[in-house]
Amino acid sequence: MEQNELLTYDEIIHSLKKKKRQKHLLLGNGFSMSYDSGIFSYNALSKFLENLDNDILQKLFQIIKTSNFELLMEQLDNVAQIAEVFGADKKVVQNIRKATETLKESLIDAIKELHPEHVFSISEEKSKACAAFLNSFLAEEGQIFTTNYDLLLYWVLMRNEIENAIDGFGRDAEESDEWIPEDERQYSELRWGKYKGTQTVHYLHGALQLFDTGVEVIKEEYTSEHYLLDNIKARMEKKEYPIFVTAGNGYEKLSHIVHNKYLTNCYESLSSIGGSLICYGFGFGNYDEHIIAAINKAAKKRKDENDKWLPFLNSIYIGVYSDADMKHIKSIEKKFKLPVRLFDAKTVNVWE
């Protein structure tokens, strides 16, 4: 198949509508890069890190010569395990582990520093165009899944007040031994769980605005005094870091996911969708095996406790930008346990 023979995005939507098929959306880094590739590409992040005043990171980048953070973290983990097998000095192993943590924290710092300053950095036209794209899924009871860490999705949903954009977070009234009038009650931070039963927006790998306190998962928000990113920076200056799945391979990512109740819920939601899944800006790389596993689980026919058939995933549509993308998806197509269709990602008008 040549790239000019690919389906367009509109053709996919028309086909699914004709079949009365529910559709869901999976977003990858291509979603953010389509807004600004100068900010959200791995190359932009690696250039930022290379200029940091950190000798260890600079030497690592010089030795490994890659801008793929997942590969770098995987290699560091492998080196640490090999060192342990050969009985290397504990201090050496600790230093390798520390380098991994330094890279993780620096990656978060890089995203924070390169990120647009606030929600109004996105023009009104682009924000509304993106909102219309997202709402075409949410308005029809579809769900949105993303592996992106940045605030773009959150900003667009918040700014446009999309009705069905439910991320599972809400406030609880603080407990008191005395009766307090409604207008005088104190409410908690935005905690995850109150609306998880109707959640439609899922950050599969965490995001800048999400923090795990050890007891609760909370969502940072903007206030009348400070923009959202300012509040996130304030937390990070106190050595509180956002929920980020930055482990190397798919198995390690899944291990991180299952040890966090919020991430587990998001992953299980992806594993149980029905209808069709449209993937935009998601390349299904070597470190995304856990995502393929979730999709295959959703594609498996299954029954509920009352022996009734549950909805299952019928098909997946993957957007490709180039011949290389198309060749890659074709090479891994057999990993999917459901029909795979390709479409031209350049025909999706997300921001215009």
Side-chain angles (χ1 to χ4, degrees), residues 12-116:
I12 290 172
I13 298 303
H14 178 74
S15 174
L16 293 177
K17 191 172 184 179
K18 191 175 180 180
K19 295 174 183 176
K20 297 182 179 178
R21 180 83 54 78
Q22 187 176 48
K23 64 182 187 293
H24 308 281
L25 178 64
L26 172 62
L27 297 172
N29 193 49
F31 168 76
S32 299
M33 286 183 65
S34 66
Y35 171 74
D36 190 337
S37 61
I39 295 174
F40 294 109
S41 70
Y42 267 168
N43 286 334
L45 292 172
S46 65
K47 285 179 182 177
F48 178 89
L49 293 183
E50 286 169 6
N51 292 323
L52 287 178
D53 186 19
N54 187 303
D55 290 340
I56 293 176
L57 284 182
Q58 288 185 0
K59 288 176 182 177
L60 285 173
F61 278 110
Q62 288 171 7
I63 293 169
I64 298 179
K65 299 184 186 302
T66 180
S67 59
N68 188 326
F69 299 99
E70 294 163 332
L71 176 60
L72 180 51
M73 287 182 179
E74 182 182 32
Q75 290 183 347
L76 285 171
D77 286 338
N78 288 341
V79 170
Q81 291 173 27
I82 291 170
E84 287 176 334
V85 168
F86 282 96
D89 187 277
K90 286 185 178 180
K91 190 172 182 180
V92 173
V93 177
Q94 288 173 356
N95 285 339
I96 297 171
R97 300 286 188 201
K98 185 178 179 181
T100 304
E101 284 303 308
T102 300
L103 179 59
K104 175 184 174 181
E105 292 174 5
S106 298
L107 173 59
I108 298 172
D109 287 337
I111 293 172
K112 175 193 70 177
E113 291 301 324
L114 292 171
H115 207 286

Side-chain angles (χ1 to χ4, degrees), residues 65-320:
K65 299 184 186 302
T66 180
S67 59
N68 188 326
F69 299 99
E70 294 163 332
L71 176 60
L72 180 51
M73 287 182 179
E74 182 182 32
Q75 290 183 347
L76 285 171
D77 286 338
N78 288 341
V79 170
Q81 291 173 27
I82 291 170
E84 287 176 334
V85 168
F86 282 96
D89 187 277
K90 286 185 178 180
K91 190 172 182 180
V92 173
V93 177
Q94 288 173 356
N95 285 339
I96 297 171
R97 300 286 188 201
K98 185 178 179 181
T100 304
E101 284 303 308
T102 300
L103 179 59
K104 175 184 174 181
E105 292 174 5
S106 298
L107 173 59
I108 298 172
D109 287 337
I111 293 172
K112 175 193 70 177
E113 291 301 324
L114 292 171
H115 207 286
E117 186 178 1
H118 51 73
V119 63
F120 298 108
S121 298
I122 305 173
S123 70
E124 180 74 8
E125 294 76 14
K126 286 190 174 185
S127 178
K128 286 190 177 301
C130 185
F133 168 68
L134 299 172
N135 198 39
S136 68
F137 292 86
L138 296 172
E140 297 178 2
E141 300 184 349
Q143 299 187 58
I144 295 175
F145 302 88
T146 179
T147 56
N148 296 340
Y149 308 129
D150 59 68
L151 298 173
L152 286 183
L153 177 62
Y154 178 38
W155 273 350
V156 170
L157 295 174
M158 177 181 64
R159 182 174 175 181
N160 293 278
E161 299 180 343
I162 297 176
E163 184 177 356
N164 294 326
I166 303 167
D167 59 13
F169 288 83
R171 301 185 193 280
D172 295 309
E174 299 290 6
E175 293 184 5
S176 174
D177 294 332
E178 301 177 1
W179 180 83
I180 301 175
E182 180 69 29
D183 59 350
E184 295 179 16
R185 288 184 181 180
Q186 297 293 316
Y187 285 85
S188 69
E189 297 177 291
L190 286 168
R191 295 171 179 162
W192 177 77
K194 188 171 185 178
Y195 300 108
K196 68 178 182 180
T198 55
Q199 188 170 336
T200 58
V201 179
H202 311 269
Y203 297 91
L204 293 165
H205 287 170
L208 266 180
Q209 73 271 20
L210 306 181
F211 290 80
D212 191 338
T213 67
V215 178
E216 303 284 352
V217 175
I218 65 105
K219 181 174 72 173
E220 189 54 82
E221 57 189 320
Y222 74 92
T223 61
S224 56
E225 294 86 15
H226 301 289
Y227 287 123
L228 174 59
L229 199 56
D230 291 331
N231 292 334
I232 290 170
K233 288 178 181 178
R235 279 187 179 273
M236 291 172 66
E237 285 168 2
K238 294 187 292 184
K239 298 299 181 183
E240 296 179 24
Y241 280 88
I243 299 172
F244 265 41
V245 178
T246 53
N249 61 41
Y251 175 80
E252 290 167 343
K253 286 181 177 178
L254 185 56
S255 178
H256 188 157
I257 287 168
V258 299
H259 284 87
N260 180 284
K261 60 183 179 180
Y262 169 80
L263 297 177
T264 298
N265 187 77
C266 293
Y267 187 78
E268 289 178 349
S269 295
L270 177 61
S271 302
S272 59
I273 56 174
S276 291
L277 179 65
I278 296 176
C279 307
Y280 176 70
F282 196 92
F284 291 98
N286 296 331
Y287 306 97
D288 296 322
E289 296 287 340
H290 61 303
I291 300 296
I292 295 176
I295 290 168
N296 287 339
K297 187 176 179 181
K300 189 175 182 179
K301 293 183 179 179
R302 56 203 184 280
K303 293 182 178 181
D304 63 15
E305 62 272 11
N306 297 317
D307 205 37
K308 291 185 178 180
W309 289 106
L310 292 167
F312 66 94
L313 195 60
N314 295 84
S315 57
I316 180 172
Y317 293 84
I318 303 174
V320 294

